[in-house]
Amino acid sequence: MDFVLGIDGGGTSCRAALAAPDGRVLARASSGAANIRTDLTNARTHIVEAARRAFVEAGQDPELLVRTPAVLGLAGANVGTYRQQLQAILPFRESRVESDAEIALEGAVGSGDGAIAVLGTGSAYRVRRGGVSRPVGGWGFQVGDQASGARVGRDLLEQTLLAYDGICEASALTREIMAVFRDNPEDLVEFTVSAKPGDYGGFAPKVFEYAAEGDVVARSIVSKAIADVEGALGALDLREGDVLCLLGGLAGLYAPLLAARYQPLLREPRGDALLGAVRMAARRFGTSVETVNG
Amino acid sequence: MDFVLGIDGGGTSCRAALAAPDGRVLARASSGAANIRTDLTNARTHIVEAARRAFVEAGQDPELLVRTPAVLGLAGANVGTYRQQLQAILPFRESRVESDAEIALEGAVGSGDGAIAVLGTGSAYRVRRGGVSRPVGGWGFQVGDQASGARVGRDLLEQTLLAYDGICEASALTREIMAVFRDNPEDLVEFTVSAKPGDYGGFAPKVFEYAAEGDVVARSIVSKAIADVEGALGALDLREGDVLCLLGGLAGLYAPLLAARYQPLLREPRGDALLGAVRMAARRFGTSVETVNG
């Protein structure tokens, strides 16, 4: 075998990395969304397209992909039979479909024990111990994803309206948000009618910024969010000496705010999810016996 | 003038009542949805249809509607210029468009001072003092409507997943909800992908039932909801001797749980929102000088 492929597919794009059997990355490429839950056929098309482009980027014949094994990390792969359906229609020599969290965990901590907390627009956790990995959270905006940017942003809009109604305290932050909506609560509500999690999440950095300045509403939202993160970390059952990587757009904001007992566990992630897929491919199908860059 | 009309229009149906100038109801009728925010033309059609049917029900010529004044209570009438747009195209002799909460308040407490808390799939509050009425809350499921059936139901599903993950305590109720979703959290999440507020609200009565039996998760959700109701009531600035009516499907469940200071204020509503619209029409356009049945 000459190559292995790592694929990281999500709702906005699909990335592929072509690597030598030892996991050394030769080329990267990307294509459109690979959402296996909403459009399996299109997801397959974009996965194959990203893989072919990676071959071309590396100066190789893309037809080689039928002789190349791949590890794919895909959002939704842990739900229902999407994984099996996709594996049946992929053209690679062999395909191993993992959840997006699994390749992110591998990318961040390698193949050994460790844990990740993904804190971005959504939130999710994953821990691996003795080779067995286990998810916590990540159930989505409506009934999960506590402490995610989307939930923090939505909390801010809710508190802003409660302050408008005189039910809760107003603050510099709620006044600024009201001004964003022309001091008209109906404009705010209109925004929420079609707002996606990412739209709510856009307000999250401002909440952290104001909390740092002592804004009472922002502090209350951030305190609740930190308690939510620590609650989920508690369910990961971390011990002294464990490795914990915070990932996602809010990682840097949460890290210094976590309780002292978590600080010694925190590590910078070794690499991203795509690199995690490559490493798993090299270990499973190639010549790497342990993590690359491990 | 021979008649006055009261209209109560909402997202699922439009009701009309034809009354004598003193407010005595002669006939009622209904038609389809009157959602002025999403479909003004269709709302007008259904409003006119309900009014014509009320004339027919009363054995009167529906063409008389052009000589009949009307008070209409419509969801969304307090937002933007929908009220003005609708008033311009209605065929009644004269049209007065109020918010749905205003006619509900009138129906419940008459034309004097008083307050309502609408606790159904959504939640909203309104207080009238010295003839001036003021809304509190009612901003919708995503960033408002605290203590509504939809929010209580959503809280239950969130707590159920937190219990599944071992982050929060499980209880008989969370175990029952997991069983509803075949003990598969992904089935629960799948439900939330397309769930409307009413779908979440369907779980609310069960939360109250289990709370009464001491279920720890249910009690915690209900305690939070009661605090939310009392927070909103606080913003209504109620005083000794004021009248407070709880309306909506959860009214009977919340009433006995409110703090002792609210118990002396609670009254059964005099009538429904449609009767409120009729009373306002009789007072404004007819011969009634005070509330009917007042």
Side-chain angles (χ1 to χ4, degrees):
Chain A
M1 183 203 334
D2 298 319
F3 307 108
V4 296
L5 273 165
I7 310 271
D8 174 22
T12 55
S13 72
C14 180
R15 299 186 303 152
L18 185 69
D22 66 358
R24 190 168 34 90
V25 172
L26 305 172
R28 293 168 184 254
S30 65
S31 61
N35 198 326
I36 61 174
R37 292 183 76 167
T38 59
D39 192 344
L40 190 68
T41 309
N42 210 33
R44 180 194 185 278
T45 302
H46 287 148
I47 288 166
V48 173
E49 193 169 295
R52 293 180 67 90
R53 286 179 184 169
F55 274 96
V56 172
E57 276 293 313
Q60 300 291 335
D61 178 4
E63 300 306 322
L64 288 172
L65 68 80
V66 299
R67 285 168 42 195
T68 306
V71 167
L72 303 91
L74 299 165
N78 53 328
V79 179
T81 61
Y82 296 109
R83 178 201 303 250
Q84 290 76 2
Q85 291 178 56
L86 182 66
Q87 283 183 169
I89 60 173
L90 285 173
F92 306 116
R93 196 194 79 192
E94 200 169 338
S95 302
R96 172 77 193 177
V97 177
E98 301 282 354
S99 75
D100 52 345
E102 184 63 22
I103 62 166
L105 176 65
E106 176 89 21
V109 310
S111 63
D113 289 354
I116 53 170
V118 187
L119 299 163
T121 297
S123 72
Y125 305 81
R126 197 169 186 93
V127 61
R128 192 195 288 129
R129 193 176 296 285
V132 180
S133 116
R134 174 171 68 88
V136 166
W139 301 117
F141 175 59
Q142 286 298 348
V143 292
D145 285 15
Q146 295 84 4
S148 67
R151 290 287 297 261
V152 166
R154 191 178 69 182
D155 282 354
L156 172 59
L157 299 189
E158 180 166 356
Q159 290 302 315
T160 298
L161 289 172
L162 287 168
Y164 173 85
D165 274 330
I167 296 172
C168 293
E169 208 171 342
S171 73
L173 178 55
T174 65
R175 282 186 287 271
E176 182 175 326
I177 296 300
M178 280 306 297
V180 167
F181 294 103
R182 305 185 307 167
D183 286 317
N184 184 351
E186 287 144 15
D187 280 19
L188 193 164
V189 173
E190 204 68 43
F191 169 84
T192 69
V193 170
S194 58
K196 299 267 180 301
D199 300 322
Y200 289 104
F203 292 99
K206 194 173 281 292
V207 178
F208 282 85
E209 177 194 320
Y210 273 74
E213 293 164 8
D215 185 278
V216 61
V217 173
R219 283 176 73 111
S220 147
I221 294 170
V222 170
S223 294
K224 163 79 167 61
I226 292 168
D228 284 335
V229 173
E230 293 178 349
L233 292 178
L236 299 184
D237 206 16
L238 299 175
R239 301 163 201 174
E240 213 179 289
D242 279 351
V243 167
L244 170 64
C245 293
L246 305 192
L247 310 177
L250 301 177
L253 295 169
Y254 275 113
L257 303 175
L258 292 182
R261 68 183 175 284
Y262 293 113
Q263 297 297 333
L265 314 186
L266 293 178
R267 297 283 182 286
E268 284 300 312
R270 295 183 180 183
D272 64 5
L274 180 57
L275 200 58
V278 168
R279 282 173 183 161
M280 290 176 81
R283 210 169 61 248
R284 176 175 294 270
F285 302 115
T287 58
S288 169
V289 291
E290 240 310 326
T291 55
V292 181
N293 308 334
Chain B
M1 182 204 331
D2 298 318
F3 307 107
V4 297
L5 273 164
I7 310 271
D8 174 22
T12 54
S13 71
C14 180
R15 299 185 303 152
L18 186 68
D22 65 358
R24 191 170 34 92
V25 173
L26 306 170
R28 293 168 183 253
S30 66
S31 61
N35 198 325
I36 61 176
R37 293 183 76 167
T38 58
D39 192 344
L40 190 68
T41 308
N42 210 33
R44 180 194 186 277
T45 302
H46 287 148
I47 289 166
V48 173
E49 193 169 295
R52 294 180 66 91
R53 286 179 183 169
F55 274 97
V56 172
E57 276 293 313
Q60 300 290 336
D61 178 4
E63 299 307 321
L64 288 172
L65 69 79
V66 299
R67 285 168 44 195
T68 306
V71 167
L72 304 91
L74 299 165
N78 53 328
V79 179
T81 60
Y82 296 109
R83 179 201 304 251
Q84 291 76 2
Q85 292 179 55
L86 182 65
Q87 284 183 170
I89 60 174
L90 285 173
F92 307 115
R93 198 195 79 192
E94 201 170 336
S95 302
R96 172 78 192 176
V97 177
E98 301 284 353
S99 75
D100 52 344
E102 184 63 21
I103 62 166
L105 177 65
E106 177 89 20
V109 310
S111 63
D113 289 355
I116 54 169
V118 187
L119 299 163
T121 297
S123 72
Y125 305 80
R126 197 168 185 93
V127 62
R128 192 196 288 128
R129 193 176 297 285
V132 179
S133 115
R134 174 171 69 87
V136 165
W139 301 117
F141 175 59
Q142 286 298 347
V143 291
D145 285 17
Q146 295 84 5
S148 66
R151 289 288 297 262
V152 166
R154 192 178 69 182
D155 283 354
L156 172 59
L157 298 189
E158 179 165 356
Q159 291 302 316
T160 297
L161 288 172
L162 287 168
Y164 172 85
D165 274 330
I167 296 172
C168 292
E169 207 171 342
S171 74
L173 178 55
T174 65
R175 282 186 287 270
E176 182 176 326
I177 297 301
M178 280 307 297
V180 167
F181 293 103
R182 304 186 307 167
D183 286 318
N184 185 350
E186 287 144 15
D187 280 21
L188 193 164
V189 173
E190 203 68 44
F191 169 84
T192 68
V193 169
S194 57
K196 299 267 179 303
D199 300 322
Y200 288 104
F203 292 99
K206 194 173 280 293
V207 178
F208 283 84
E209 177 194 319
Y210 273 74
E213 293 164 8
D215 185 278
V216 61
V217 173
R219 285 177 72 112
S220 146
I221 294 170
V222 170
S223 294
K224 162 79 166 59
I226 292 168
D228 285 334
V229 173
E230 293 177 349
L233 293 179
L236 299 183
D237 206 16
L238 300 175
R239 300 162 201 174
E240 213 178 291
D242 280 350
V243 167
L244 169 63
C245 293
L246 305 192
L247 310 177
L250 301 177
L253 294 169
Y254 275 113
L257 303 175
L258 293 182
R261 68 184 176 283
Y262 294 113
Q263 297 297 333
L265 313 186
L266 294 178
R267 296 283 183 287
E268 284 299 311
R270 295 181 180 184
D272 65 6
L274 180 57
L275 200 58
V278 167
R279 283 173 181 160
M280 290 176 81
R283 210 168 62 248
R284 176 173 295 269
F285 302 115
T287 58
S288 168
V289 291
E290 238 312 324
T291 56
V292 181
N293 308 333

